[in-house]
Amino acid sequence: MADVPELVPARMVNEFVYCPRLFYLEWVQARFEDNADTVHGRYVHRNVDRGGGRMGESSEGDPVRDARSVLVSSERLGLIAKTDIVEGSDGRVVPVEVKRGRPPKHGPAWEPELVQLAAIGLILRENGYDCDHGQFYFASSRERTTVEFDDRLVHRTLDTVDRLREVAAADDPPPPLVDSPKCPRCSLVGICLPDETNFHTGRVDGTPRRLTPRDSAARPLYVGQQGARLGISQRRVEVMVNREVVSSERLIDVSQINLTGNVQVSTQLLHAAFRQDIPVCWFSYGGWFQGMAHGLPSKHVELRRRQVAVAAQAGLPLARQMIVGKIRNSRTLLMRNSREPVDSAVAQLKELAAKAAEVDSVESLLGIEGAAARSYFGSFATMLKDDRLGTFDFGGRNRRPPRDPVNCLLSFLYALLVKDLTAVAFSVGFDPYLGVYHRPRFGRPALALDLAEEFRPIIAESVVVNAVNNGEVAANGFVVRAGGVALEQPARRAVIAAYERRLDHEVTHPTYGYKITYRRVLEVQARMLAASMLGEIPEYVPFMTR
């Protein structure tokens, strides 16, 4: 237990009683996300968090006068707590914890809250204060309940702290709760993925519940007008051209800031974006994803440590699954959208997917992927309407620079997809530049490219087919320079809009059975990849449409 900090926050004792896995994710791995309950909780605490009152040393007699937000600790107990309120009366102190909601019908508070309050009482005793009971104030009902610090509760609290330290010292988190009613309201349910994890490990039968939080209302902001400047004013992101504000978005409505070409961003906006975990992404004028600025990296060190080990020694099984998913999704897209018979290509892709699942080296996997790409892109033009051919003739994949409009669209959409998966990889705790299939190379987000493999057909290539066939891009949407083809600004905006619509499209998850947007699928798959690297599930299962 040498790596466990000497002082455990009393709030973490609460979390441990509620769910040991929640405690481990939040305290040991420092992973946290807000939900409506946590935001409301902070609002309820807004007054006590300001501090105030008086609380001197216990030797001063009766020094307490409604002290608020008091930090107390005990090295002997190994506990530290920030007490909401400490009241003094007749030489005694009474800790008061503020809670949202109402008290339960069966007692003064729920078990996690009782243990947390008892821990605070024990810390006060260790500091010389006379403290034999505490209270809860419930904001919704505006009532107080009293808890006596009897021997039974004290013993339960101390035993809980001992068990907490044992769990904290372990290399791996405890398994998720099974079919627990606690999970849907937990703020970390989208990180923990309890039912999905239990499904892969065989701890539950049947289809997982849909416990992932709904998609955030925030959406990416794209700015491509050359010479534009972005700043922040009154918590709104403002886009200015020639010192005039041409658009304004609330910061809470922005999930990413994407800048193309010669666009400037202020330091103040960068600071605000970092505080809100909003990545800022830069693209070249031609649409190449060039880089990303983010706040501090995830504190989930164990995941990055395992990632390094897997990338060095055991990346092949993961790479196989990713390429199998890519080939099978390519085959599905071709079968659904081809306007001509493509039986030969479909049969070949099926055969290559089966071979990819059995290869024993990355070199062999590269060869199979190359053969599948040639077969697939050899039939790609059959998915385009006849009246769109000519402008959108497609004879095969080319790049750097793309030499025709279809390849231009493919390259741009791949860049958007990799940008999103780079941001997802950062948020999950990965190093996005260390992959299991794509080799590390200067400036290349290899893991994001790995994750992109299974999504290229069903997101990027699907958008190309629909955008061309629906007339969302036309011949005048492209410019040719030195043999290379690039998107004009109006066409680029149309393609971005089509891409964002695709991410918002709901699809039934083939493994878990619930409906989910592609935007959320990207995160779920990245988190399941993390679970496989951490050994929480036996293998990574790619997302494959049926």
Side-chain angles (χ1 to χ4, degrees), residues 275-514:
R275 287 193 296 270
Q276 300 297 321
D277 290 327
I278 298 172
V280 181
C281 306
W282 280 268
F283 294 80
S284 69
Y285 185 78
W288 294 102
F289 180 41
Q290 292 186 314
M292 183 174 75
H294 204 278
L296 291 172
S298 167
K299 297 177 183 178
H300 193 359
V301 177
E302 182 62 19
L303 174 58
R304 291 197 290 278
R305 190 179 72 81
R306 300 282 183 94
Q307 181 187 357
V308 170
V310 168
Q313 301 175 1
L316 180 60
L318 291 171
R320 277 200 305 249
Q321 290 289 81
M322 292 168 174
I323 298 306
V324 168
K326 175 184 181 179
I327 296 173
R328 289 185 57 180
N329 285 337
S330 297
R331 179 174 179 267
T332 298
L333 187 71
L334 201 57
M335 291 171 64
R336 288 179 178 176
N337 294 279
S338 179
R339 299 169 185 275
E340 300 175 12
V342 286
D343 296 344
S344 176
V346 167
Q348 187 176 12
L349 289 172
K350 181 178 180 180
E351 179 183 349
L352 290 169
K355 288 182 177 179
E358 303 294 334
V359 297
D360 57 4
S361 70
V362 172
E363 291 73 21
S364 298
L365 189 59
L366 284 165
I368 290 173
E369 185 205 6
R374 286 190 294 274
S375 178
Y376 169 66
F377 282 117
S379 301
F380 191 86
T382 65
M383 294 188 285
L384 305 178
K385 286 183 177 179
D386 292 340
D387 61 355
R388 304 296 290 167
L389 298 178
T391 297
F392 295 98
D393 282 341
F394 182 79
R397 188 77 178 103
N398 60 69
R399 58 186 75 82
R400 298 180 184 175
R403 296 189 292 275
D404 59 78
V406 173
N407 273 292
C408 174
L409 292 172
L410 288 170
S411 293
F412 182 57
L413 284 158
Y414 291 158
L416 294 178
L417 180 61
V418 170
K419 172 264 298 183
D420 282 331
L421 285 166
T422 301
V424 166
F426 263 119
S427 69
V428 170
F430 283 116
D431 178 350
Y433 291 91
L434 184 61
V436 297
Y437 178 59
H438 291 84
R439 296 299 90 191
R441 185 183 298 170
F442 179 79
R444 183 169 74 170
L447 187 71
L449 290 167
D450 290 347
L451 285 165
E453 291 294 350
E454 65 206 65
F455 295 109
R456 287 175 184 263
I458 54 179
I459 294 181
E461 290 149 20
S462 176
V463 171
V464 172
V465 171
N466 288 326
V468 171
N469 289 344
N470 295 339
E472 294 180 72
V473 289
N476 61 2
F478 302 87
V479 60
V480 180
R481 293 192 181 95
V485 177
L487 280 162
E488 294 277 23
Q489 189 62 27
R492 181 176 291 153
R493 286 196 294 266
V495 174
I496 289 172
Y499 172 75
E500 291 296 327
R501 285 198 308 271
R502 184 61 174 172
L503 291 184
D504 288 333
H505 177 73
E506 278 199 344
V507 62
T508 299
H509 199 292
T511 304
Y512 309 131
Y514 48 58

Side-chain angles (χ1 to χ4, degrees), residues 108-131:
W110 299 100
E111 178 70 9
E113 282 75 26
L114 292 175
V115 175
Q116 178 184 3
L117 186 62
I120 294 171
L122 291 174
I123 297 172
L124 290 170
R125 287 183 184 179
E126 284 291 311
N127 283 274
Y129 296 100
D130 187 357
C131 180

Side-chain angles (χ1 to χ4, degrees), residues 185-203:
R185 293 296 295 270
C186 177
S187 66
L188 296 194
V189 65
I191 291 175
C192 175
L193 296 176
D195 282 17
E196 291 83 349
T197 301
N198 288 331
F199 174 80
H200 285 290
T201 56
R203 299 179 73 227

